[in-house]
Amino acid sequence: MGACSRSSCFAPDCTCDLGNVNHTKCPAWGEGKEDAPATEVVDASSLLLPWSGSALGLVDLGFVAGPGKPLVVGIVGPQNAGKTTLLAAWYLLIGRGLSCSEQRRFAGSYSLAGWEALAGSLRWSPGHSPNFPPHTTSRGGRAPGMLHALFRNSSGDARGYLFTDASGEWFQKWSINRDAPDAEGARWVAEHADVFLLVADRQALAGENKGSARSALQVLARRLAAERAGRPIALIWTKADVPIAPEIEKAVRDAVLKLMPDTREFSVSVSSASGNDENKGQGLLELLDWTLDRRRACLSLPPAQSASSDLLFMFGVK
């Protein structure tokens, strides 16, 4: 079996790093990385695009971050809590021109195929009713898949975002043991995210195992509070149309707010509220607007201790 000579390509397990639909036709395809020539010559006219359109991995981050470091949105929560559905719903709303405020417009994405893979399940198709996206499995991976989006404001300035789509199993294991060997993806999100969305599944909190669901979410909140380091965070009640016992809701809310008092709360659902004829769901656009408005924390430098007005000598080493 052949292999690609490029260290950044993992075909055939994923799409070709240079954008070739048939990876075996790629000039870099050979018998293995160890047999790769010292100098790789690739005919530029035979290349397609330097990205596949699928969800991005760590290898793709250098390319995406070239124009400017994107804001990483870490979506944290247990399995089947609705993390992937939240992303798919956002994409469908953006496609209908309903996204966020008038001051910000969708301006492109390097992972449109990845967005489509999630959103396809929520679309109506002849003979098939809409469904929810498939469960995001851990797959033994070490980093989450990331979906890229670019938004442009009224001044014409563009800003990139990366939304993590990570397995809930990672976060459950990470919440119990920060250094768990199979929770590396959760650790990556905790380290690199610029803003956190902590997902609370109302359906799980109302089900037969509501006690264990509540306890698991409280443990996850404690772990996230310890790793957060002052970054913005929101508590997201998914499946807002599902009623839960007031004492369960209060216990979860109190656990989160006691640890992180500045947490914002949102209730979201793909089911439209009564009287909503635009089929926008509940709270989805408000949450998206809040998320896109977050800013990365800036480095605060101490005032310069110098009598000189010359910038070259103002920060001189003593």
Side-chain angles (χ1 to χ4, degrees):
M1 181 178 178
C4 183
S5 60
R6 292 170 57 85
S7 60
S8 60
C9 184
F10 303 98
D13 296 331
C14 62
T15 52
C16 173
D17 184 48
L18 295 177
N20 292 277
V21 177
N22 184 349
H23 64 274
T24 62
K25 302 298 182 183
C26 177
W29 182 256
E31 293 301 322
K33 293 181 174 59
E34 66 278 2
D35 300 324
T39 302
E40 182 180 310
V41 179
V42 179
D43 182 10
S45 63
S46 66
L47 303 182
L48 298 177
L49 297 172
W51 69 92
S52 67
S54 300
L56 306 177
L58 298 185
V59 172
D60 307 297
L61 295 187
F63 170 75
V64 174
K69 184 181 178 182
L71 193 86
V72 179
V73 180
I75 305 180
V76 179
Q79 60 181 342
N80 299 321
K83 300 184 297 297
T84 302
T85 300
L86 174 63
L87 292 170
W90 275 346
Y91 175 73
L92 292 178
L93 290 172
I94 290 171
R96 293 169 54 201
L98 298 175
S99 60
C100 48
S101 67
E102 295 295 329
Q103 303 300 317
R104 189 186 296 108
R105 296 293 184 185
F106 177 73
S109 171
Y110 289 118
S111 57
L112 284 175
W115 285 108
E116 282 289 334
L118 299 186
S121 301
L122 289 177
R123 284 197 174 100
W124 286 94
S125 58
H128 299 279
S129 60
N131 204 339
F132 292 101
H135 168 65
T136 304
T137 62
S138 58
R139 297 185 300 273
R142 294 165 44 181
M146 285 167 281
L147 296 168
H148 174 262
L150 197 70
F151 290 87
R152 194 178 303 277
N153 61 24
S154 57
S155 301
D157 298 325
R159 190 180 187 202
Y161 297 83
L162 287 172
F163 300 88
T164 65
D165 184 21
S167 168
E169 289 94 332
W170 286 348
F171 293 115
Q172 289 174 308
K173 294 172 182 176
W174 171 74
S175 65
I176 298 172
N177 178 9
R178 181 187 183 277
D179 299 317
D182 48 358
E184 190 170 348
R187 286 194 295 275
W188 191 96
V189 174
E191 179 180 354
H192 294 92
D194 297 298
V195 56
F196 294 104
L197 305 182
L198 176 60
V199 176
D201 180 3
R202 293 179 67 92
Q203 188 173 45
L205 293 169
E208 295 181 356
N209 299 317
K210 53 182 176 290
S212 59
R214 178 198 60 195
S215 299
L217 191 57
Q218 291 171 329
V219 171
L220 180 57
R222 286 195 291 270
R223 175 65 63 197
L224 186 58
E227 302 288 336
R228 175 193 170 202
R231 287 168 284 182
I233 185 170
L235 173 62
I236 316 302
W237 299 94
T238 56
K239 309 168 190 176
D241 52 310
V242 178
I244 63 174
E247 58 271 18
I248 294 286
E249 182 173 348
K250 183 179 184 301
V252 172
R253 178 180 292 109
D254 290 348
V256 174
L257 295 182
K258 181 179 179 181
L259 296 166
M260 299 169 283
D262 58 333
T263 301
R264 284 288 305 271
E265 279 190 74
F266 294 89
S267 294
V268 301
S269 174
V270 295
S271 300
S272 296
S274 177
N276 185 348
D277 296 328
E278 297 184 19
N279 193 25
K280 297 189 298 185
Q282 302 178 41
L284 293 168
L285 292 179
E286 292 79 5
L287 172 59
L288 177 60
D289 198 28
W290 180 88
T291 302
L292 298 184
D293 276 342
R294 297 310 95 197
R295 294 292 182 266
R296 185 178 291 110
C298 298
L299 178 65
S300 179
L301 295 175
Q305 302 295 325
S306 175
S308 173
S309 60
D310 190 326
L311 294 177
L312 179 62
F313 300 101
M314 188 174 291
F315 295 95
V317 179
K318 293 183 179 180

